Amino acid sequence: MASARGLLRVLGAPLTLGSITPSHCDLAPKAIRDALVSFSTCDIMHNRDVRELRVEDLGDLPLAEQSVESAQQPIEQAVTKALQNADAIVLLGGDNSITRPALHGINSNLQQCGLLTLDAHFDLRTLEGGLRNGNPVRALLNDGLPGENIVQIGIQSFANSWEYFRVAKDAGIHVWPVEAVQLQGIRRVVCDALNELAQKAETIYVDLDLDVMDRAFAPATAGARPGGLTPSDVREAAYVCGAHPKVKAMDLVEIDPTRDMNTITSLTAASCLLSFASGLLERLS
Ligand SMILES: [Mn+2]
């Protein structure tokens, strides 16, 4: 469309060697892009065609063979560059170890950053064994991101240890167990979380780990458990995040397409990208 407005950049970050359970998350950017073909651009709910938004796909960073440590600087720099003149970016992971460098890339002052995670897990494992997909939030706390600037939505009972729950509480992280999200409704919880973060931060990073979904909907992730969110929940969350003026980046992580069934997980990730784009149009309107 000639009249396309705004700018959303899409960047693939196929890092996979951070996975505690060996994964093929390096194949996810292609799987998500392929899944997009199964959708139209017509948002019925919001009476909007997402082709009204200008979108640039920057392709993939060459990360598939990289260690998490060696990938830090390339991801951070690429995110900073991708955000220039853009309203927001969506990162196609890769495993969850991309979140730390990507957040650094949106704002070099961590005091000014907010982090919203949609994830079944705290990702607060210790840093002793190096950077992994199980410890990006711990690493960011260690880097100086204030715990009060973090909200974690969809944390699953019986999927996290007391030790990490205590780390979250001691750091002042606002935790939304998945049961509480289901009682309150995803829209209200995400809106409240973004408004809470916006009071403390200039820029907000959204980490969408697809394992926040029920295992029935996220077979491509190693970490999903029964009792998680639905595809409509994460799609709605992505829309609300796209619409919020302080959200600069959202990642879609932890998809291993070789484990997927009937492409359900990749399809859901692709629909989250479309919903984020539609939300961004609402932001720009
Ligand atoms: Mn995670």
Side-chain angles (χ1 to χ4, degrees):
M1 277 186 184
S3 58
R5 59 203 163 91
L7 179 57
L8 173 68
R9 287 208 177 96
V10 177
L11 177 64
L15 189 61
T16 195
L17 294 179
S19 300
I20 293 166
T21 307
S23 82
H24 286 286
C25 291
D26 54 317
L27 304 176
K30 180 181 185 320
I32 297 168
R33 288 189 185 95
D34 288 350
L36 280 170
V37 175
S38 301
F39 290 94
S40 85
T41 57
C42 173
D43 183 342
I44 308 276
M45 176 68 186
H46 304 98
N47 191 33
R48 181 185 294 136
D49 191 321
V50 292
R51 284 178 299 178
E52 291 164 24
L53 182 70
R54 202 175 131 219
V55 181
E56 261 180 38
D57 188 345
L58 300 174
D60 294 348
L61 295 169
L63 299 174
E65 309 291 321
Q66 294 250 33
S67 70
V68 180
E69 273 76 13
S70 66
Q72 298 292 298
Q73 208 184 22
I75 293 175
E76 182 179 335
Q77 289 176 349
V79 165
T80 303
K81 197 171 169 219
L83 255 180
Q84 285 172 6
N85 311 316
D87 295 290
I89 64 170
V90 172
L91 281 146
L92 310 178
D95 65 42
N96 218 149
S97 53
I98 70 168
T99 298
R100 174 188 180 237
L103 184 140
H104 278 279
I106 70 163
N107 192 330
S108 54
N109 181 357
L110 292 184
Q111 303 287 327
Q112 292 295 324
C113 267
L115 170 63
L116 174 65
T117 74
L118 292 135
D119 197 318
H121 311 100
F122 292 114
D123 290 355
L124 285 167
R125 287 174 185 252
T126 61
L127 301 169
E128 282 154 21
L131 297 167
R132 307 301 298 270
N133 65 342
N135 61 21
V137 180
R138 186 69 167 264
L140 285 163
L141 282 177
N142 195 52
D143 294 340
L145 179 67
E148 317 83 74
N149 291 19
I150 304 173
V151 180
Q152 299 198 277
I153 291 175
I155 298 291
Q156 280 262 20
S157 295
F158 314 117
N160 294 274
S161 75
W162 277 113
E163 188 190 341
Y164 306 132
F165 188 17
R166 194 164 299 117
V167 173
K169 286 196 277 193
D170 289 349
I173 293 174
H174 189 164
V175 176
W176 277 96
V178 72
E179 297 92 332
V181 179
Q182 285 155 344
L183 285 170
Q184 297 283 331
I186 188 73
R187 187 180 178 86
R188 181 170 161 198
V189 171
V190 175
C191 284
D192 286 357
L194 292 173
N195 290 334
E196 178 187 341
L197 291 172
Q199 287 174 4
K200 301 163 186 164
E202 291 307 312
T203 53
I204 298 172
Y205 184 97
V206 179
D207 164 30
L208 204 176
D209 182 334
L210 278 298
D211 79 10
V212 75
M213 284 198 293
D214 192 286
R215 194 171 181 85
F217 300 118
T221 68
R225 293 289 177 271
L229 298 181
T230 66
S232 354
D233 288 332
V234 291
R235 206 168 70 183
E236 179 69 9
Y239 184 87
V240 172
C241 291
H244 195 282
K246 288 193 172 177
V247 172
K248 294 295 163 194
M250 177 179 79
D251 68 35
L252 298 165
V253 297
E254 290 294 315
I255 296 170
D256 174 350
T258 66
R259 306 168 57 111
D260 212 355
M261 293 175 72
N262 212 6
T263 44
I264 185 168
T265 320
S266 295
L267 283 167
T268 303
S271 74
C272 288
L273 171 53
L274 290 166
S275 286
F276 185 89
S278 186
L280 187 51
L281 281 166
E282 178 176 309
R283 182 196 311 190
L284 297 169
S285 66

